[in-house]
Amino acid sequence: RAYPRDNLTNVTPSILSKTTRQLYLQQYHPILILRNCIESYFDKFHHFNSFSPIVTTVQNFDELGFPANHPGRSTTDSYYINNSIMLRTHTSAHQRQAFQTGAEKFLISADVYRRDEIDTCHYPVFHQMEGAQIFSINKAIEEIACDMQISTSQQYRHINTDDNTVISTTNPIQPCHPIEVANATISHLKYSLNELVKMLFIDEKNLQVRWVDAYFPFTSPSWEMEIFYQGKWLEVCGCGVIKQDILNNAGQPDKIGWAFGLGLERIAMVLFNIPDIRLFWSKDPRFINQFTSNEIIKFKPFSKYPSCIKDLSFWMNNDKEHEFHITNFCEIVRDIAEDLVEDVKLIDDFMHPKTKKRSLCFRINYRSMDRTCTNEEINGIQDKIRESVAEKLDVTLR
């Protein structure tokens, strides 16, 4: 289908080519294996796996209560086809659709798209799983008590879960919700996710999990769940009590409920011991053939090819310095070099004392996942990136 371009169009051919890959539907792929595992845990939930990645800005933002000035709406954060059509940035874009089917508990799995910096844990396309469950507001306490009768198994004791969050004016219960009902809903949400994580990571020794307060336009109160991996805390899930306006507009005014969004790559990287997020997109049989249906198998690296490091520095145009954003730079690098880039880092930010011009220097680390790159090949790519950066960002190369 053809869409007209306009002043917001920023989606690239490289990104559009990913919309047909649908890793979460590919047999034996780690994303599908993880998806199946979570769906088996929420076995009574309805599963939606076929929503289109092309949505309206109304679906992606307005229906979920995003204010007009929210940074997520920015062209530095999101991929726009045009002013009113975009690639979804989260599975929550389909929450209203799912509720309107009459489903009271469901999962949505999909690829989502966000402009981002480049490193081993971030990629402009990743996969989310949306989960939601609603209860009759007049019977919620009884329904939730019945649902939570099964106690936590002793086999999960080695997983350390830290939750020091408290309800506050900055992360409040919605005024329309009775406190007892809201607290029961919160308990059910945290119980459901704690048990899910414990099931998924049952073989991980001394896994650390923590809850932290968060803000999302479509839930209140809201939290993030993080796991400690490779020396740093990684967010794997955002969640909270659904804003009542969303339920009202979806034809569920007498309900209260919770929702979460899981990042499937973040969890899969830990479970399958996959060190670089680019590997999920590899077509190399040495990657794909390591996995089999419904089994968590640790990835075995097939030799790490040498990196090729190149620096790119430039003077900013003083009149346009305020328009510069690192994701714009990374998008140029990604569109030309695609998955040959392992990471991009800002290594120098200098202000000339006399001219007051600002100079930035980025270090681009090229490394293929399946072959050795020649210096000649990388030099050719680097030259194209330099030309494109100078043209599109209106900077002076150094």
Side-chain angles (χ1 to χ4, degrees):
R1 183 175 175 182
Y3 295 92
R5 290 175 173 268
D6 62 23
N7 63 312
L8 282 193
T9 304
N10 66 352
V11 68
T12 65
S14 173
I15 295 300
L16 286 174
S17 70
K18 300 291 195 298
T19 60
T20 58
R21 291 289 302 276
Q22 297 184 313
L23 305 185
Y24 63 102
L25 301 178
Q26 288 186 16
Q27 190 176 26
Y28 307 137
H29 196 283
I31 297 297
L32 173 65
I33 295 169
L34 176 57
R35 195 202 95 197
N36 287 340
C37 188
I38 298 173
E39 287 182 349
S40 68
Y41 172 79
F42 291 105
D43 60 333
K44 301 293 192 299
F45 281 46
H46 189 93
H47 304 149
F48 295 98
N49 299 313
S50 58
F51 288 125
S52 169
I54 298 173
V55 299
T56 65
T57 54
V58 171
Q59 287 175 291
N60 200 76
F61 296 126
D62 298 332
E63 289 179 354
L64 296 167
F66 279 74
N69 62 349
H70 192 279
R73 292 180 182 263
S74 169
T75 54
T76 61
D77 281 32
S78 299
Y79 288 107
Y80 285 89
I81 294 174
N82 58 40
N83 193 273
S84 59
I85 305 293
M86 64 186 301
L87 296 179
R88 63 186 164 216
T89 64
H90 46 198
T91 45
S92 302
H94 304 291
Q95 197 178 97
R96 182 173 179 174
Q97 286 173 270
F99 279 129
Q100 287 177 329
T101 68
E104 295 194 342
K105 43 189 175 183
F106 58 80
L107 299 176
I108 303 170
S109 298
D111 43 345
V112 299
Y113 300 77
R114 295 184 196 173
R115 302 185 85 204
D116 213 335
E117 298 179 27
I118 301 175
D119 59 38
T120 55
C121 292
H122 293 87
Y123 200 80
V125 192
F126 59 101
H127 296 80
Q128 268 192 350
M129 179 178 278
E130 182 91 359
Q133 183 167 1
I134 55 177
F135 308 92
S136 299
I137 202 160
N138 295 325
K139 300 179 181 178
I141 294 175
E142 294 84 353
E143 291 177 9
I144 289 169
C146 181
D147 221 26
M148 292 176 60
Q149 282 181 350
I150 301 173
S151 61
T152 304
S153 171
Q154 296 299 312
Q155 63 186 329
Y156 300 140
R157 280 186 173 177
H158 64 277
I159 295 180
N160 176 36
T161 303
D162 183 19
D163 184 2
N164 295 318
T165 59
V166 295
I167 301 299
S168 67
T169 54
T170 57
N171 198 18
I173 289 174
Q174 297 168 57
C176 59
H177 291 158
I179 292 178
E180 297 82 1
V181 176
N183 283 334
T185 305
I186 291 166
S187 296
H188 190 271
L189 165 63
K190 290 188 173 183
Y191 171 83
S192 300
L193 288 175
N194 281 333
E195 292 302 296
L196 171 65
V197 168
K198 290 171 183 178
M199 180 273 290
L200 289 174
F201 294 99
I202 188 171
D203 294 326
E204 298 293 323
K205 294 182 178 179
N206 301 316
L207 184 79
Q208 296 181 65
V209 179
R210 72 179 182 186
W211 288 81
V212 296
D213 290 314
Y215 163 77
F216 304 108
F218 37 88
T219 55
S220 184
S222 306
W223 302 274
E224 289 175 349
M225 175 184 271
E226 300 179 341
I227 59 173
F228 196 68
Y229 177 62
Q230 291 189 345
K232 59 183 178 182
W233 288 98
L234 291 179
E235 178 204 341
V236 295
C237 175
C239 62
V241 178
I242 301 168
K243 287 281 185 72
Q244 195 60 41
D245 284 348
I246 294 173
L247 292 178
N248 295 346
N249 293 334
Q252 304 284 358
D254 58 340
K255 299 295 194 331
I256 185 173
W258 51 254
F260 67 79
L262 282 169
L264 295 180
E265 275 86 348
R266 290 283 175 88
I267 296 175
M269 289 177 78
V270 179
L271 288 178
F272 293 91
N273 201 26
I274 294 173
D276 192 314
I277 198 168
R278 292 177 299 162
L279 277 164
F280 290 108
W281 296 89
S282 174
K283 296 180 181 178
D284 193 316
R286 290 174 297 176
F287 175 75
I288 299 297
N289 292 344
Q290 291 192 29
F291 308 103
T292 187
S293 182
N294 297 324
E295 286 188 46
I296 306 296
I297 297 173
K298 297 296 183 183
F299 169 68
K300 295 178 181 177
F302 41 88
S303 74
K304 186 145 183 173
Y305 294 91
S307 64
C308 184
I309 294 174
K310 302 289 181 181
D311 291 349
L312 193 159
S313 57
F314 50 81
W315 293 106
M316 304 279 291
N317 182 329
N318 286 351
D319 295 334
K320 294 191 175 181
E321 183 178 338
H322 66 285
E323 298 177 5
F324 179 81
H325 196 284
I326 189 171
T327 59
N328 292 334
F329 177 81
C330 288
E331 198 61 41
I332 293 172
V333 173
R334 184 183 290 117
D335 199 40
I336 294 173
E338 296 189 334
D339 287 352
L340 287 180
V341 178
E342 183 171 86
D343 58 56
V344 173
K345 295 179 180 177
L346 177 65
I347 61 170
D348 186 58
D349 188 343
F350 167 74
M351 182 71 73
H352 195 284
K354 293 183 179 179
T355 65
K356 301 302 179 184
K357 281 199 169 187
R358 184 183 177 195
S359 169
L360 300 179
C361 181
F362 289 92
R363 178 155 293 167
I364 305 174
N365 180 17
Y366 296 89
R367 191 199 306 269
S368 171
M369 304 300 298
D370 50 26
R371 62 184 176 84
T372 298
C373 295
T374 65
N375 197 53
E376 181 181 14
E377 174 190 11
I378 299 303
N379 281 341
I381 294 172
Q382 183 79 355
D383 287 343
K384 290 180 181 178
I385 292 174
R386 286 173 59 85
E387 292 174 10
S388 188
V389 165
E391 176 189 352
K392 294 182 178 180
L393 300 183
D394 192 18
V395 298
T396 303
L397 298 174
R398 295 185 66 184

